[in-house]
Structure formats: structure tokens, C-alpha cells
Amino acid sequence: MKDYYVKDLKEKVGEEIDLKGWVYRKRRHGKLVFVVVRDSTGTVQTSIKKQNVPVESFEAAKVVDIEASIHVKGIVKEDARAPDGIEVECTEFLIISPSPDFPIQEDTSSEALLDIRHLTLRTTKARNIMQVKNGVIQAARDYFEEKGFNEVFPPIMVGVAGEGGGTLFSFDYFGQKAFLSQTAQLHLEASIFMFENVYSLTPSFRAEKSRTRRHLTEFGHIEAEMAWCDEECNEKIEEELVVYICNKIGEKYSDELRYFKQDPAYYHDMEPKFERITYDEAISIIQGKGLNIEFGSDLGYDEEKVLTEDFEYPFFVKNFPKDIKSFYMKQKGDRAICADLEAPGGYGEIIGGSQREDNLDMIIERLQKEGEDIKNYEWYLDLRRYGSVPHSGFGLGIERLVRWMLKLEHIRDACLFPRTPARIYP
Ligand code: NSS
């Protein structure tokens, strides 16, 4: 690893340092070459003057390519003209590995950038997004840790559909049909009998054909499940978690937020006081905006877009008709005891949560209605047979949250290597 990182150089004025990184930009003025060096923490200008360096160093600086890896030695100087007020005056300039014809240009199209995503990751935009995503994951873990939850690692290869047969990726598991997990929920439900309050961070998979700006076929899923917890308690945990994450990002990632023209104070000062509206109210808001949605339909991309556009903060939509919701949700009359958390400004759903059905017969009836083979669910049904307790939980889509926080055009940008119906490469 390195001795010096760009972000620390401001404190090293007058000192001799050595810096490893990549060429971000380059300019030449006769006997002087300026190379802006990029590392994981930022960029800094270095100057290579012919009279200050060995001949080979000056020749190397003259020909070095954008994104070549380099190792420079020099003295940190104050320089009012440089972006951070400092510059490294080189005494030595070494190319570690060249980078002829680096394929990213200012005008490279977004599809072409995705084809070379392995190289696009080096851009400031990608770095800033991934930095915030890392902060989101860290903050979520901190929240759960503070609340006494245990993290568990549920299986990714499963034998049951958690979220309906329509979006399952299936594969052959030594002669048995198996699936990539759509949700950790069912296995988290089993885990509450050990830990009471549990959470997991896993990839979830959905064979969604929907090519929207917010659907992926593989996404990062933060899921929690709590014993002895009803809908109110569930919403409180969801709200606290989202606000905790937003506060932390507002506090620690203000530069990244500003890069995306977001006000850190909005996130930093957010409070856990999200509005709650009913499904019926949501339908009338959507109808009032001229969309033709019937009572009893689920909210899709367009509906959520208009529903959320005038809200300032995330809000819950509660009490969906039970028939459009999952088999495991507790029923109350013709409604499910559930709530989706919607992100404002047209971004839409970021969390799906519910109180779980504890009536064994009702679960069996729902599964049969959906054409599921009860045999595969016997283990899940056992959870209701042996010491069942009232419990609730939810799932938060990490890329959806990041997309909303940074107002990204497309959810793909919030993925390291996005997976969509049209993309498994690179
Ligand atoms: O289908 S969900 O609404 N709910 C569940 O999977 C529950 N079984 C979670 C639970 O209670 N443990 O998905 C939860 C969230 C949803 O709100 C989105 O934020 C995200 O997962 N999600 C997605 N993100 C990106 N792409 C796709 N296709 C996607 N589907 C769901």
C-alpha cells in the first residue's frame, strides 16, 4: 500500500513525498509538463520541469498517456493557482504501466460507457456514487448494530419463490429446480426465532422484463425482520433507518452530494417524521393528476412518478388491497397490513414492508391460489406451527435509495456492474 494519498497532501507542504496513482489530465508548455494525478482520494497537480528532473523523467512525462499508472516523487508546494492550493514539484517521474488510447472521451455515449464499465469505474462520477453507496451500507450496518440487531447470511440459492413466480431466475440444482433468491425474507423469518431482530445485506434477483429507470435484474437488498413487531413498529424502524442513513450521508459525504447538485443540509437535517397516506388516498392523488388508474390496481412506474412528484420527503403508502400483495402479508378485511416507502420527486418506491400473516390456513390458501406446491413451503409453514409470534419486516433497495439521494437519471449508475435484461457484460 502507499505512504501518501492525495487527500493528505495539504498537510505536507514543504515535505518531500512520493505519490502513486493515474494520469487524470496532462498539459505541456515547452520545458514544463503539468500532470494531474488521480488516486482514490482525489486529484492533485504535479509539475515536471525539465531542469529539475532526470532526462528520462522529463521524457516519460512528455509521452505519458491519460490513465497510465505512475509513481512521482517531489516536494509539496503552496500554489494559489492550483485547485486545492497545492502542487507537487517533481524531482522524479516514473511510468509504472502505460495506457495507450484510453477509450473514454468526453462524448462517449452512455451505452458505450456501460460496455466499458470496467474502465468507467475510474471516472469521478462513478467514484462519487460508489462512495455514497459505501456510506449507505456502512450507515445501515451502524444503525442495526446500535439497535441490537444481528446480521445473518441467508442463502442465495433457494427452492421457493419469495415474491411470486413471475420474476424467478431458475437453474438446475443437481436435478432439482432451484432459483436465485428474490428476497431473503422467508429465511430471515426463520432467523427471528434465534435472534428476534435480524437483518441481512444480500443481492436479490428478479427476472423483471420491465425496462424502467429503476429496475435491475440484480440489486442490493437490505432486509430486516423483527419478532414481536406490528405495522407501527415496522414503519418506525424503516423511518429511523432511512433517516439515520440520510443524516450520515449529509454529514460525511457533502462533497459528493454537491457534485450531484444536492444540498447536504436536506439530508443532514432530515427527521423521522414521514407522512403516512392510504392506498385509497394515493389512488385519488394519481387520478387527480390525470392518470387512468382503477381502484385495485398496483402502482407502477408511471403512477409512482406522479404520486411522489409533489412530496418533499419520503412517505408511506399503506393498506393496499390484499389481492395485489404477497401471500405472506397479514390480512385485515380486504386489505394487507403493509406499507411501501416512496421517495419524493418522482423517484418512487424504495422500501416494501409488511406485518406477516400468522394464520397458517390463510397462508396455505394463498399459496394454493397462486399455484404454488405446498410441499416446497413446508419448512416456512413450520414457522407458524411452532411458537409463531407476531412479526414484521421490510426490504430496502440500495440502488433505488442511492438513485434518489443523488438524483441519478438511471438506477444502472448506482451499480458497480449493472445487470438488466439487456446487459450481463462486463
Ligand atoms: O418486492 S419488494 O417490494 N419486497 C420484498 O422483496 C420483501 N420480501 C422484502 C422484505 O419484506 N424482506 O422489494 C423490496 C425493495 C423495493 O422496495 C425496491 O426498493 C427494491 O427492493 N427492488 C428493486 N430494486 C431494483 N430493481 C428491482 N427489480 C427491484 N425490485 C425490488
Side-chain angles (χ1 to χ4, degrees):
M1 281 160 71
K2 311 197 300 182
D3 292 329
Y4 296 96
Y5 286 86
V6 167
K7 71 169 171 37
D8 303 321
L9 297 185
K10 266 179 279 182
E11 274 83 58
K12 308 278 178 215
V13 173
E15 289 181 36
E16 199 173 335
I17 58 104
D18 77 298
L19 183 64
K20 293 168 183 155
W22 294 266
V23 175
Y24 186 65
R25 256 188 234 118
K26 196 181 92 173
R27 271 178 304 136
R28 187 182 162 196
H29 304 281
K31 293 181 180 166
L32 174 63
V33 183
F34 289 109
V35 172
V36 178
V37 181
R38 168 183 80 76
D39 77 359
S40 59
T41 66
T43 57
V44 67
Q45 177 164 291
T46 65
S47 64
I48 304 98
K49 287 190 189 128
K50 195 169 180 183
Q51 71 269 26
N52 288 354
V53 295
V55 182
E56 314 80 66
S57 281
F58 190 68
E59 289 308 310
K62 258 165 52 182
V63 301
V64 74
D65 316 293
I66 298 296
E67 284 304 317
S69 50
I70 55 174
H71 182 179
V72 304
K73 292 182 182 162
I75 295 160
V76 183
K77 295 260 161 98
E78 266 172 358
D79 184 340
R81 290 160 302 175
D84 258 332
I86 54 159
E87 182 186 276
V88 178
E89 209 174 271
C90 287
T91 51
E92 208 180 326
F93 186 97
L94 261 176
I95 298 177
I96 303 295
S97 189
S99 170
D101 304 320
F102 188 68
I104 297 180
Q105 313 288 340
E106 296 245 334
D107 58 352
T108 310
S109 74
S110 55
E111 272 308 312
L113 285 174
L114 287 169
D115 288 337
I116 50 166
R117 182 67 176 166
H118 50 293
L119 301 177
T120 313
L121 292 180
R122 302 176 184 204
T123 60
T124 309
K125 180 180 172 190
R127 182 201 164 281
N128 284 344
I129 296 170
M130 291 307 142
Q131 190 79 62
V132 168
K133 190 173 185 179
N134 164 72
V136 165
I137 293 166
Q138 201 61 53
R141 284 209 160 102
D142 289 349
Y143 171 78
F144 286 124
E145 171 75 22
E146 278 179 24
K147 283 272 162 182
F149 282 62
N150 267 283
E151 182 170 4
V152 293
F153 294 84
I156 300 299
M157 298 189 286
V158 296
V160 289
E163 289 299 330
T167 61
L168 276 172
F169 281 111
S170 60
F171 63 98
D172 175 66
Y173 189 78
F174 305 111
Q176 265 187 48
K177 193 162 184 181
F179 312 105
L180 294 179
S181 169
Q182 296 168 308
T183 170
Q185 181 192 322
L186 307 190
H187 295 89
L188 291 186
E189 284 187 63
S191 308
I192 61 165
F193 295 87
M194 163 174 59
F195 283 140
E196 301 194 312
N197 302 323
V198 296
Y199 77 99
S200 63
L201 267 88
T202 60
S204 280
F205 303 86
R206 308 271 167 108
E208 304 250 19
K209 303 259 163 38
S210 33
R211 291 166 194 251
T212 70
R213 287 159 195 273
R214 55 170 216 190
H215 281 96
L216 296 162
T217 51
E218 176 174 350
F219 65 94
H221 211 167
I222 299 176
E223 291 177 89
E225 197 70 31
M226 293 80 71
W228 322 106
C229 180
D230 63 7
E231 64 175 323
E232 223 175 280
C233 147
N234 198 26
E235 286 158 27
K236 184 164 171 283
I237 300 285
E238 292 173 39
E239 184 174 60
E240 279 182 8
L241 170 67
V242 169
V243 169
Y244 188 96
I245 292 172
C246 288
N247 291 169
K248 275 281 151 69
I249 297 295
E251 190 183 311
K252 281 179 70 179
Y253 297 94
S254 51
D255 289 346
E256 286 80 359
L257 286 168
R258 282 195 203 96
Y259 176 90
F260 292 99
K261 303 192 169 53
Q262 298 309 305
D263 179 10
Y266 170 85
Y267 292 107
H268 184 264
D269 300 339
M270 193 180 286
E271 291 179 37
K273 292 194 297 203
F274 295 162
E275 212 175 309
R276 278 116 169 107
I277 66 168
T278 61
Y279 167 84
D280 305 55
E281 285 166 323
I283 292 294
S284 37
I285 293 174
I286 297 165
Q287 287 172 341
K289 294 200 171 231
L291 250 67
N292 197 3
I293 184 171
E294 290 191 13
F295 186 89
S297 311
D298 206 356
L299 310 183
Y301 178 78
D302 293 328
E303 289 79 24
E304 287 182 7
K305 195 160 185 287
V306 299
L307 170 65
T308 61
E309 62 193 3
D310 295 335
F311 281 82
E312 192 186 352
Y313 291 101
F315 61 98
F316 289 103
V317 181
K318 295 169 57 110
N319 310 340
F320 283 72
K322 70 175 171 42
D323 293 333
I324 55 171
K325 286 292 185 184
S326 302
F327 74 90
Y328 54 71
M329 291 186 182
K330 190 172 171 66
Q331 299 177 17
K332 193 171 168 192
D334 63 347
R335 302 305 174 108
I337 304 184
C338 67
D340 286 352
L341 187 70
E342 301 278 336
Y347 287 86
E349 184 193 330
I350 51 175
I351 291 185
S354 64
Q355 187 166 343
R356 316 310 190 187
E357 181 58 76
D358 15 45
N359 183 313
L360 182 64
D361 295 332
M362 276 166 114
I363 300 182
I364 293 174
E365 195 185 306
R366 270 303 285 274
L367 283 169
Q368 279 167 340
K369 224 163 137 189
E370 287 174 24
E372 295 288 343
D373 186 349
I374 298 299
K375 252 198 348 274
N376 297 333
Y377 289 84
E378 283 300 339
W379 69 267
Y380 181 71
L381 300 175
D382 274 351
L383 307 179
R384 305 300 191 273
R385 291 183 183 117
Y386 303 109
S388 181
V389 294
H391 63 290
S392 301
F394 62 89
L396 164 67
I398 299 174
E399 292 80 9
R400 292 245 181 121
L401 179 67
V402 171
R403 175 175 179 242
W404 163 63
M405 293 187 81
L406 301 181
K407 309 295 176 287
L408 303 177
E409 167 96 359
H410 202 294
I411 193 167
R412 292 184 303 216
D413 293 334
C415 299
L416 198 65
F417 287 95
R419 297 291 178 245
T420 59
R423 185 169 291 285
I424 188 90
Y425 178 93

